[in-house]
């Protein structure tokens, strides 16, 4: 077993470990292994590295791991071994040298300790069958006591029917656990961070949440939070649209000037033009995106309950494209309503009728292509930044728990959403201008590529970021408001806190 290798005295020290070896021996722990309580982490890993390096070439490839682990009584599939090598192979030479091996196991062991602490409900340093059952229930998985005891026996080496930290670590040490349940539940990249954009990857729900119907309560709470958030930040959103369409070098609209112009033209009420349909489209889009995501998820992952980040990106982007295609005419209506002058339309239906009569059905799909293209950079960067910030926090601050707290989650959600918007903003600006073409006096029909060229030629690269300031100004209040409202609506709807 792994523990027998880790706890024995090593025949030769690892590179640059002579000092550590002598200090370990001097305090009565010649092997220096953290498994048996010693201070030197490197020595016990060097012992394991030597055992696994079956061809003695100083590197661990997939074949080395397969043979070495088999000798230790551990069997891993080739796919699992490849994941281990890929996760630690920093120089991309197809194998792990000792430093890469140490780095991989240290990161992996830290995650394992977090999970162990989350499973240890009694905080007594041991996990029993009841704690396993409770933890799996929290994840939406129900098992019997006999099944829990079977799980225990697979890791229990001393027959106590409990698992201590050493047994837990030794069993999982060289197993490529990718989706640590506790970390996933705390760090769910949730759609409750509503910033008025429609390009986010949908939330994931457990089997129990889907079976009990709890998922729709989450969606209703999220939709309500989005409605309040968008209504509170609607003036900034309308200002952004006006600056995207009308601002130029000759008409350098500023924030104060933009608000003054809106109020002078239509009064304070005009600050909320376009907000009605912006709120109205939350429900159909969320429902379509959720249903599409669940179907695509099954195709992408098979029986796997939780998707990896690149699988989430693929499934989320496709689901977003389907949802956006379904409700895109409402996007065009929202832009036209935000840009309308006082008395131009009596309401949403009147606006739709006039557009259809004057411009035809094709007008409801203007800007469709740049909108679809914007989904991938937004969702991809949003997810990637969130995962990076999450991992950075876990590596630096997670000691006894992976729970980051509300403020860290809000900060990570705000930063990731901001980066996603920054990446996709030029496409969003071109989309909005194409949607608004007929409402601009004397504006000719233009394609996406010609509009890009025209903006770059007349306004420079800066022209692609008109309206960015009010767009970023609304991110922090939008995220904060949506989070607070979501938490309160969850309580009202009887949604269990994760």
């Amino acid at each position: 077993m792994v523990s027998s290798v880790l706890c024995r005295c090593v025949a030769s020290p690892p590179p640059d470990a002579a000092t550590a070896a002598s200090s370990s021996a001097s305090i009565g722990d010649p092997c220096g292994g953290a498994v048996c309580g010693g201070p030197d982490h490197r020595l016990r890993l060097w012992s394991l590295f030597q055992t696994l390096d079956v061809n003695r070439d100083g590197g661990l490839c997939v074949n080395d791991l397969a043979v070495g682990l088999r000798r230790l009584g551990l069997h891993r599939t080739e796919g699992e071994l490849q994941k281990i090598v890929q996760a630690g192979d920093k120089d991309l030479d197809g194998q792990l040298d000792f430093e890469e091996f140490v780095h991989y196991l240290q990161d992996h062991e830290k995650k394992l300790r977090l999970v162990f602490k989350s499973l240890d409900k009694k905080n007594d340093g041991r996990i029993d069958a009841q704690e396993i059952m409770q933890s799996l229930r929290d994840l939406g998985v129900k098992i019997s006591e006999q099944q829990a005891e079977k799980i225990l026996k697979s890791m229990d080496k001393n027959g106590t029917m409990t698992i201590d930290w050493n047994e837990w670590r030794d069993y999982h040490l060289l197993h490529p656990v990718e989706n640590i349940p506790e970390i996933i539940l705390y760090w769910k990249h949730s759609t409750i961070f509503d910033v008025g954009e429609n390009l986010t990857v949908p939330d994931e729900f457990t089997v129990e949440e889907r079976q009990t119907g709890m998922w729709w309560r989450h969606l209703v709470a999220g939709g309500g939070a989005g409605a309040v958030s968008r209504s509170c930040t609607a003036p900034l959103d309308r200002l952004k649209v006006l600056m995207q369409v009308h601002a130029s070098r000759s008409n350098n609209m500023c924030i104060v000037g933009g608000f003054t112009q809106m109020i002078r033209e239509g009064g304070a009420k005009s600050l909320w033009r376009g907000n009605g349909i912006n709120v109205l489209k939350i429900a159909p889009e969320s429902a379509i995106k959720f249903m599409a995501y669940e179907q695509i998820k099954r195709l992408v992952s098979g029986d796997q309950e939780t998707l990896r980040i690149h699988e989430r990106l693929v499934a989320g982007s496709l689901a977003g494209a389907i949802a956006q295609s379904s409700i895109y005419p409402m996007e065009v209506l929202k832009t036209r309503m935000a840009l309308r002058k006082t008395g131009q339309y009596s309401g949403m239906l009147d606006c739709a009728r006039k557009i259809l009569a004057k411009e035809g059905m094709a007008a409801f799909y203007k800007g469709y292509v740049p909108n679809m293209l914007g989904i991938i950079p937004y969702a991809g960067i949003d997810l990637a930044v969130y995962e990076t910030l999450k991992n950075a926090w876990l590596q630096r601050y997670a000691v006894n728990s992976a729970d980051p707290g509300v403020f860290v989650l809000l900060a990570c959600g705000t930063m990731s959403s901001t980066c996603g918007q920054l990446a996709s903003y030029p496409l969003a600006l071109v989309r909005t201008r194409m949607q608004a073409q007929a409402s601009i006096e004397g504006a000719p029909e233009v394609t996406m590529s010609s509009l890009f060229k025209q903006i770059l030629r007349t306004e420079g690269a800066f022209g692609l970021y008109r309206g960015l300031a009010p767009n970023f100004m609304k991110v922090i209040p939008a995220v904060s408001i949506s989070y607070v409202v979501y938490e309160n609506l969850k309580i009202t709807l009887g949604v269990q806190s994760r």
Side-chain angles (χ1 to χ4, degrees):
M1 293 297 293
V2 175
S3 58
S4 63
V5 177
L6 292 175
C7 283
R8 73 185 185 187
C9 297
V10 295
S12 58
D16 303 320
T19 305
S22 62
S23 67
S24 297
S26 68
I27 60 172
D29 180 29
C31 71
V35 166
C36 52
D40 197 329
H41 188 72
R42 285 177 64 87
L43 282 175
R44 72 179 179 85
L45 295 182
W46 176 247
S47 177
L48 179 58
F49 183 84
Q50 285 184 311
T51 302
L52 296 176
D53 185 14
V54 293
N55 59 7
R56 295 290 183 267
D57 65 348
L60 302 181
C61 62
V62 171
N63 185 62
D64 285 333
L65 289 174
V67 175
L69 290 173
R70 202 176 299 123
R71 289 177 182 175
L72 295 173
L74 300 174
H75 297 275
R76 301 284 182 257
T77 66
E78 185 176 350
E80 289 172 334
L81 297 176
Q82 286 175 343
K83 286 179 182 177
I84 291 173
V85 173
Q86 288 171 1
D89 185 15
K90 303 300 182 185
D91 57 9
L92 303 178
D93 62 352
Q95 63 179 7
L96 305 179
D97 60 28
F98 179 63
E99 291 301 326
E100 290 172 332
F101 182 69
V102 168
H103 190 267
Y104 168 78
L105 287 185
Q106 285 176 336
D107 286 349
H108 191 61
E109 190 172 315
K110 188 168 187 177
K111 293 176 184 177
L112 292 176
R113 185 174 287 280
L114 290 172
V115 180
F116 183 83
K117 286 180 178 292
S118 72
L119 292 172
D120 183 15
K121 306 291 185 184
K122 300 173 186 173
N123 202 29
D124 60 357
R126 293 183 175 276
I127 301 170
D128 58 28
Q130 292 299 320
E131 288 171 319
I132 288 179
M133 291 171 65
Q134 179 60 50
S135 297
L136 288 174
R137 261 199 304 271
D138 293 342
L139 289 169
V141 180
K142 294 181 180 179
I143 63 171
S144 66
E145 189 169 354
Q146 290 76 18
Q147 289 172 309
E149 289 175 353
K150 188 176 180 181
I151 293 173
L152 273 177
K153 286 178 182 177
S154 66
M155 292 179 262
D156 180 26
K157 294 180 293 188
N158 53 17
T160 61
M161 288 305 293
T162 60
I163 308 165
D164 61 22
W165 160 242
N166 288 346
E167 290 171 324
W168 171 265
R169 191 230 12 255
D170 293 349
Y171 183 83
H172 291 288
L173 191 62
L174 283 165
H175 195 286
V177 180
E178 292 184 345
N179 294 312
I180 307 296
E182 183 222 24
I183 294 175
I184 288 173
L185 287 183
Y186 279 130
W187 286 91
K188 262 193 167 177
H189 187 230
S190 179
T191 52
I192 61 168
F193 298 132
D194 189 292
V195 292
E197 300 297 326
N198 308 296
L199 311 177
T200 51
V201 173
D203 205 349
E204 291 186 30
F205 299 99
T206 64
V207 174
E208 186 178 38
E209 285 171 331
R210 291 197 293 269
Q211 290 176 345
T212 60
M214 196 63 70
W215 62 270
W216 70 261
R217 299 188 190 186
H218 280 285
L219 288 183
V220 170
V228 174
S229 168
R230 293 184 187 194
S231 296
C232 290
T233 58
L236 285 167
D237 192 62
R238 189 184 176 216
L239 177 61
K240 176 195 75 174
V241 173
L242 287 173
M243 292 177 74
Q244 284 178 330
V245 175
H246 296 303
S248 63
R249 279 180 176 170
S250 58
N251 179 25
N252 193 16
M253 186 185 296
C254 64
I255 293 172
V256 175
F259 278 126
T260 303
Q261 180 180 320
M262 285 190 285
I263 294 172
R264 188 185 299 124
E265 192 275 330
K269 188 179 176 182
S270 69
L271 297 175
W272 276 266
R273 282 180 187 167
N275 183 59
I277 198 162
N278 196 30
V279 169
L280 195 63
K281 65 188 177 70
I282 292 175
E285 185 185 21
S286 298
I288 294 168
K289 189 188 288 186
F290 169 71
M291 290 186 289
Y293 184 74
E294 288 297 307
Q295 295 301 315
I296 297 167
K297 177 182 171 182
R298 289 192 186 96
L299 295 174
V300 170
S301 67
D303 296 329
Q304 185 181 322
E305 175 60 23
T306 307
L307 299 183
R308 288 168 289 184
I309 184 169
H310 67 277
E311 292 171 335
R312 285 203 72 197
L313 174 59
V314 171
S317 297
L318 289 174
I322 292 169
Q324 283 280 289
S325 298
S326 304
I327 59 98
Y328 192 75
M330 298 177 79
E331 292 280 353
V332 176
L333 281 175
K334 178 235 174 185
T335 299
R336 294 293 183 90
M337 293 289 287
L339 292 170
R340 79 183 190 273
K341 293 181 172 60
T342 302
Q344 187 175 356
Y345 306 119
S346 61
M348 286 181 282
L349 291 177
D350 182 52
C351 177
R353 278 197 299 267
K354 287 181 177 177
I355 292 173
L356 185 61
K358 185 178 179 182
E359 304 170 53
M361 192 65 193
F364 290 104
Y365 284 89
K366 284 183 178 178
Y368 177 80
V369 174
N371 187 72
M372 291 298 107
L373 293 176
I375 290 175
I376 295 176
Y378 183 97
I381 292 177
D382 188 20
L383 271 179
V385 171
Y386 191 83
E387 288 293 311
T388 301
L389 293 173
K390 174 191 80 172
N391 290 329
W393 188 92
L394 286 169
Q395 289 297 318
R396 183 158 188 161
Y397 299 108
V399 178
N400 296 318
S401 171
D403 184 359
V406 173
F407 291 110
V408 174
L409 281 177
L410 289 176
C412 291
T414 302
M415 185 66 72
S416 63
S417 176
T418 301
C419 291
Q421 289 186 70
L422 186 62
S424 63
Y425 195 83
L427 287 163
L429 180 136
V430 169
R431 174 203 66 195
T432 303
R433 287 203 181 181
M434 292 180 73
Q435 290 172 342
Q437 273 175 359
S439 66
I440 305 172
E441 292 293 331
E445 283 278 329
V446 289
T447 62
M448 180 184 73
S449 57
S450 62
L451 190 52
F452 263 115
K453 292 174 184 175
Q454 178 188 325
I455 293 171
L456 288 171
R457 184 177 64 254
T458 58
E459 304 177 49
F462 180 77
L464 294 171
Y465 289 90
R466 298 280 180 192
L468 188 65
N471 191 58
F472 279 178
M473 285 172 65
K474 72 176 182 150
V475 171
I476 293 177
V479 169
S480 304
I481 293 167
S482 62
Y483 184 86
V484 171
V485 175
Y486 177 78
E487 289 299 312
N488 282 280
L489 282 177
K490 277 205 311 183
I491 296 171
T492 303
L493 294 169
V495 178
Q496 296 174 352
S497 183
R498 302 189 214 200

mmCIF file of all heavy atoms in Angstrom, residues 89-108:
data_model
loop_
_atom_site.group_PDB
_atom_site.id
_atom_site.type_symbol
_atom_site.label_atom_id
_atom_site.label_comp_id
_atom_site.label_asym_id
_atom_site.label_seq_id
_atom_site.Cartn_x
_atom_site.Cartn_y
_atom_site.Cartn_z
ATOM 1 N N ASP A 89 2.265 17.856 -15.532
ATOM 2 C CA ASP A 89 3.344 17.984 -16.522
ATOM 3 C C ASP A 89 3.474 19.429 -17.005
ATOM 4 O O ASP A 89 2.898 19.827 -18.004
ATOM 5 C CB ASP A 89 3.050 17.054 -17.703
ATOM 6 C CG ASP A 89 4.192 17.037 -18.712
ATOM 7 O OD1 ASP A 89 5.299 17.502 -18.359
ATOM 8 O OD2 ASP A 89 3.978 16.554 -19.839
ATOM 9 N N LYS A 90 4.264 20.218 -16.288
ATOM 10 C CA LYS A 90 4.404 21.636 -16.606
ATOM 11 C C LYS A 90 5.233 21.893 -17.864
ATOM 12 O O LYS A 90 4.997 22.851 -18.597
ATOM 13 C CB LYS A 90 5.043 22.394 -15.430
ATOM 14 C CG LYS A 90 4.289 22.270 -14.116
ATOM 15 C CD LYS A 90 2.888 22.808 -14.225
ATOM 16 C CE LYS A 90 2.158 22.715 -12.891
ATOM 17 N NZ LYS A 90 0.744 23.124 -12.989
ATOM 18 N N ASP A 91 6.243 21.056 -18.107
ATOM 19 C CA ASP A 91 7.102 21.290 -19.278
ATOM 20 C C ASP A 91 6.649 20.503 -20.502
ATOM 21 O O ASP A 91 7.331 20.484 -21.530
ATOM 22 C CB ASP A 91 8.567 20.963 -18.950
ATOM 23 C CG ASP A 91 8.739 19.523 -18.464
ATOM 24 O OD1 ASP A 91 7.770 18.734 -18.536
ATOM 25 O OD2 ASP A 91 9.847 19.187 -17.982
ATOM 26 N N LEU A 92 5.512 19.807 -20.378
ATOM 27 C CA LEU A 92 4.880 19.110 -21.511
ATOM 28 C C LEU A 92 5.805 18.103 -22.195
ATOM 29 O O LEU A 92 5.821 17.983 -23.423
ATOM 30 C CB LEU A 92 4.375 20.133 -22.546
ATOM 31 C CG LEU A 92 3.377 21.194 -22.034
ATOM 32 C CD1 LEU A 92 3.010 22.153 -23.145
ATOM 33 C CD2 LEU A 92 2.143 20.549 -21.445
ATOM 34 N N ASP A 93 6.589 17.359 -21.382
ATOM 35 C CA ASP A 93 7.458 16.342 -21.973
ATOM 36 C C ASP A 93 6.870 14.942 -21.831
ATOM 37 O O ASP A 93 7.528 13.949 -22.109
ATOM 38 C CB ASP A 93 8.863 16.396 -21.337
ATOM 39 C CG ASP A 93 8.824 16.091 -19.839
ATOM 40 O OD1 ASP A 93 7.713 15.988 -19.274
ATOM 41 O OD2 ASP A 93 9.913 15.958 -19.235
ATOM 42 N N GLY A 94 5.627 14.853 -21.387
ATOM 43 C CA GLY A 94 4.959 13.562 -21.313
ATOM 44 C C GLY A 94 5.231 12.765 -20.059
ATOM 45 O O GLY A 94 4.785 11.617 -19.947
ATOM 46 N N GLN A 95 5.974 13.333 -19.105
ATOM 47 C CA GLN A 95 6.235 12.627 -17.848
ATOM 48 C C GLN A 95 6.442 13.634 -16.722
ATOM 49 O O GLN A 95 6.607 14.828 -16.961
ATOM 50 C CB GLN A 95 7.451 11.711 -17.980
ATOM 51 C CG GLN A 95 8.753 12.433 -18.278
ATOM 52 C CD GLN A 95 9.936 11.470 -18.366
ATOM 53 O OE1 GLN A 95 9.767 10.258 -18.337
ATOM 54 N NE2 GLN A 95 11.133 12.015 -18.472
ATOM 55 N N LEU A 96 6.393 13.139 -15.489
ATOM 56 C CA LEU A 96 6.574 13.990 -14.322
ATOM 57 C C LEU A 96 7.955 13.787 -13.725
ATOM 58 O O LEU A 96 8.308 12.659 -13.360
ATOM 59 C CB LEU A 96 5.521 13.653 -13.250
ATOM 60 C CG LEU A 96 4.041 13.699 -13.652
ATOM 61 C CD1 LEU A 96 3.166 13.317 -12.465
ATOM 62 C CD2 LEU A 96 3.663 15.069 -14.169
ATOM 63 N N ASP A 97 8.736 14.872 -13.652
ATOM 64 C CA ASP A 97 9.976 14.752 -12.886
ATOM 65 C C ASP A 97 9.626 14.929 -11.403
ATOM 66 O O ASP A 97 8.458 15.135 -11.050
ATOM 67 C CB ASP A 97 11.023 15.768 -13.353
ATOM 68 C CG ASP A 97 10.569 17.220 -13.218
ATOM 69 O OD1 ASP A 97 9.744 17.504 -12.330
ATOM 70 O OD2 ASP A 97 11.031 18.065 -13.997
ATOM 71 N N PHE A 98 10.615 14.869 -10.520
ATOM 72 C CA PHE A 98 10.308 14.881 -9.095
ATOM 73 C C PHE A 98 9.626 16.172 -8.659
ATOM 74 O O PHE A 98 8.669 16.153 -7.886
ATOM 75 C CB PHE A 98 11.597 14.656 -8.281
ATOM 76 C CG PHE A 98 11.354 14.691 -6.797
ATOM 77 C CD1 PHE A 98 10.532 13.753 -6.185
ATOM 78 C CD2 PHE A 98 11.934 15.674 -6.004
ATOM 79 C CE1 PHE A 98 10.283 13.792 -4.821
ATOM 80 C CE2 PHE A 98 11.697 15.719 -4.642
ATOM 81 C CZ PHE A 98 10.871 14.771 -4.039
ATOM 82 N N GLU A 99 10.109 17.317 -9.164
ATOM 83 C CA GLU A 99 9.513 18.587 -8.766
ATOM 84 C C GLU A 99 8.055 18.688 -9.220
ATOM 85 O O GLU A 99 7.190 19.178 -8.493
ATOM 86 C CB GLU A 99 10.324 19.763 -9.332
ATOM 87 C CG GLU A 99 11.703 19.929 -8.713
ATOM 88 C CD GLU A 99 11.638 20.146 -7.199
ATOM 89 O OE1 GLU A 99 10.672 20.783 -6.730
ATOM 90 O OE2 GLU A 99 12.536 19.658 -6.499
ATOM 91 N N GLU A 100 7.778 18.233 -10.442
ATOM 92 C CA GLU A 100 6.403 18.253 -10.948
ATOM 93 C C GLU A 100 5.520 17.306 -10.128
ATOM 94 O O GLU A 100 4.361 17.611 -9.831
ATOM 95 C CB GLU A 100 6.384 17.846 -12.426
ATOM 96 C CG GLU A 100 6.998 18.889 -13.357
ATOM 97 C CD GLU A 100 7.156 18.390 -14.772
ATOM 98 O OE1 GLU A 100 7.314 17.157 -14.967
ATOM 99 O OE2 GLU A 100 7.137 19.224 -15.692
ATOM 100 N N PHE A 101 6.083 16.147 -9.765
ATOM 101 C CA PHE A 101 5.370 15.163 -8.964
ATOM 102 C C PHE A 101 5.010 15.745 -7.592
ATOM 103 O O PHE A 101 3.878 15.614 -7.118
ATOM 104 C CB PHE A 101 6.256 13.925 -8.810
ATOM 105 C CG PHE A 101 5.623 12.800 -8.037
ATOM 106 C CD1 PHE A 101 4.559 12.083 -8.554
ATOM 107 C CD2 PHE A 101 6.128 12.440 -6.791
ATOM 108 C CE1 PHE A 101 3.985 11.036 -7.843
ATOM 109 C CE2 PHE A 101 5.565 11.398 -6.076
ATOM 110 C CZ PHE A 101 4.496 10.687 -6.601
ATOM 111 N N VAL A 102 5.973 16.423 -6.973
ATOM 112 C CA VAL A 102 5.747 17.042 -5.658
ATOM 113 C C VAL A 102 4.657 18.108 -5.752
ATOM 114 O O VAL A 102 3.732 18.160 -4.932
ATOM 115 C CB VAL A 102 7.054 17.662 -5.112
ATOM 116 C CG1 VAL A 102 6.773 18.547 -3.903
ATOM 117 C CG2 VAL A 102 8.037 16.572 -4.733
ATOM 118 N N HIS A 103 4.760 18.956 -6.771
ATOM 119 C CA HIS A 103 3.797 20.048 -6.921
ATOM 120 C C HIS A 103 2.391 19.509 -7.128
ATOM 121 O O HIS A 103 1.415 20.002 -6.533
ATOM 122 C CB HIS A 103 4.202 20.932 -8.109
ATOM 123 C CG HIS A 103 3.431 22.205 -8.201
ATOM 124 N ND1 HIS A 103 2.281 22.321 -8.960
ATOM 125 C CD2 HIS A 103 3.612 23.410 -7.616
ATOM 126 C CE1 HIS A 103 1.804 23.540 -8.850
ATOM 127 N NE2 HIS A 103 2.582 24.228 -8.041
ATOM 128 N N TYR A 104 2.269 18.491 -7.974
ATOM 129 C CA TYR A 104 0.949 17.897 -8.229
ATOM 130 C C TYR A 104 0.346 17.328 -6.951
ATOM 131 O O TYR A 104 -0.811 17.588 -6.613
ATOM 132 C CB TYR A 104 1.060 16.796 -9.291
ATOM 133 C CG TYR A 104 -0.199 15.956 -9.388
ATOM 134 C CD1 TYR A 104 -1.330 16.425 -10.047
ATOM 135 C CD2 TYR A 104 -0.263 14.699 -8.783
ATOM 136 C CE1 TYR A 104 -2.496 15.680 -10.112
ATOM 137 C CE2 TYR A 104 -1.423 13.945 -8.837
ATOM 138 C CZ TYR A 104 -2.528 14.431 -9.512
ATOM 139 O OH TYR A 104 -3.691 13.686 -9.555
ATOM 140 N N LEU A 105 1.138 16.535 -6.205
ATOM 141 C CA LEU A 105 0.612 15.880 -5.013
ATOM 142 C C LEU A 105 0.308 16.873 -3.887
ATOM 143 O O LEU A 105 -0.645 16.688 -3.129
ATOM 144 C CB LEU A 105 1.584 14.810 -4.519
ATOM 145 C CG LEU A 105 1.658 13.536 -5.373
ATOM 146 C CD1 LEU A 105 2.549 12.511 -4.707
ATOM 147 C CD2 LEU A 105 0.284 12.943 -5.608
ATOM 148 N N GLN A 106 1.105 17.916 -3.773
ATOM 149 C CA GLN A 106 0.828 18.917 -2.735
ATOM 150 C C GLN A 106 -0.503 19.605 -2.992
ATOM 151 O O GLN A 106 -1.313 19.800 -2.082
ATOM 152 C CB GLN A 106 1.962 19.940 -2.666
ATOM 153 C CG GLN A 106 3.222 19.406 -1.995
ATOM 154 C CD GLN A 106 4.365 20.405 -2.036
ATOM 155 O OE1 GLN A 106 4.401 21.282 -2.888
ATOM 156 N NE2 GLN A 106 5.315 20.251 -1.133
ATOM 157 N N ASP A 107 -0.742 19.997 -4.255
ATOM 158 C CA ASP A 107 -2.026 20.624 -4.609
ATOM 159 C C ASP A 107 -3.177 19.649 -4.390
ATOM 160 O O ASP A 107 -4.225 19.997 -3.847
ATOM 161 C CB ASP A 107 -2.015 21.073 -6.077
ATOM 162 C CG ASP A 107 -1.163 22.303 -6.290
ATOM 163 O OD1 ASP A 107 -0.762 22.922 -5.283
ATOM 164 O OD2 ASP A 107 -0.886 22.639 -7.447
ATOM 165 N N HIS A 108 -2.953 18.408 -4.816
ATOM 166 C CA HIS A 108 -3.997 17.390 -4.724
ATOM 167 C C HIS A 108 -4.320 17.069 -3.265
ATOM 168 O O HIS A 108 -5.479 16.943 -2.876
ATOM 169 C CB HIS A 108 -3.529 16.134 -5.459
ATOM 170 C CG HIS A 108 -4.605 15.113 -5.656
ATOM 171 N ND1 HIS A 108 -5.745 15.362 -6.383
ATOM 172 C CD2 HIS A 108 -4.716 13.835 -5.208
ATOM 173 C CE1 HIS A 108 -6.509 14.286 -6.391
ATOM 174 N NE2 HIS A 108 -5.910 13.350 -5.676
#
